[in-house]
């Protein structure tokens, strides 16, 4: 029976505390907005760059995955890959 009395006493204390809070804050408890959301704070520029690179990589992977067409690779050694010769040098003064 001692447990029942302790529970009742605890419930009464909690009810008193709730009433005190309701009197102190009649509109409800104040809520701080933006504790976890919104702008991210960075320690330094390296953290920002690291986060930015991760976001860019994720966007690139998702963009490649969303393409309907298969990826094609060019064969090496084709005319498109060859460099043009440099223009002739004129000795005009």
């Amino acid at each position: 029976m001692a447990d029942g009395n302790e529970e009742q006493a605890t419930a009464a204390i909690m009810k008193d505390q709730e009433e005190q809070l309701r009197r102190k804050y009649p509109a409800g408890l104040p809520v701080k907005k933006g504790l976890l959301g919104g702008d991210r704070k960075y320690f330094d520029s390296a953290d920002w760059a690291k986060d930015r690179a991760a976001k860019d990589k994720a966007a690139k992977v998702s963009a490649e995955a969303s393409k309907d067409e298969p990826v094609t690779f060019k064969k090496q050694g084709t005319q498109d890959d060859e460099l043009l010769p440099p223009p002739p040098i004129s000795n005009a003064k």
Side-chain angles (χ1 to χ4, degrees):
M1 224 35 187
D3 292 332
N5 289 338
E6 288 178 21
E7 289 176 8
Q8 289 176 353
T10 304
I13 292 171
M14 289 181 71
K15 190 173 184 178
D16 290 340
Q17 290 175 349
E18 285 180 20
E19 288 176 14
Q20 288 175 355
L21 285 172
R22 289 181 201 275
R23 277 186 259 130
K24 188 173 181 179
Y25 302 104
L29 291 175
V31 178
K32 291 183 180 180
K33 296 189 183 217
L35 288 177
L36 296 176
D39 297 333
R40 166 102 193 250
K41 304 292 181 191
Y42 298 101
F43 181 72
D44 59 9
S45 61
D47 289 339
W48 176 86
K50 184 179 174 184
D51 190 42
R52 178 68 184 228
K55 287 179 183 178
D56 289 346
K57 184 178 179 182
K60 185 177 180 182
V61 169
S62 65
E64 288 177 2
S66 66
K67 289 182 181 177
D68 294 334
E69 58 193 50
V71 177
T72 57
F73 298 99
K74 290 191 331 183
K75 293 181 183 178
Q76 290 185 355
T78 61
Q79 254 186 347
D80 295 335
D81 293 335
E82 294 177 11
L83 295 175
L84 297 175
I89 299 174
S90 64
N91 292 333
K93 289 185 180 181

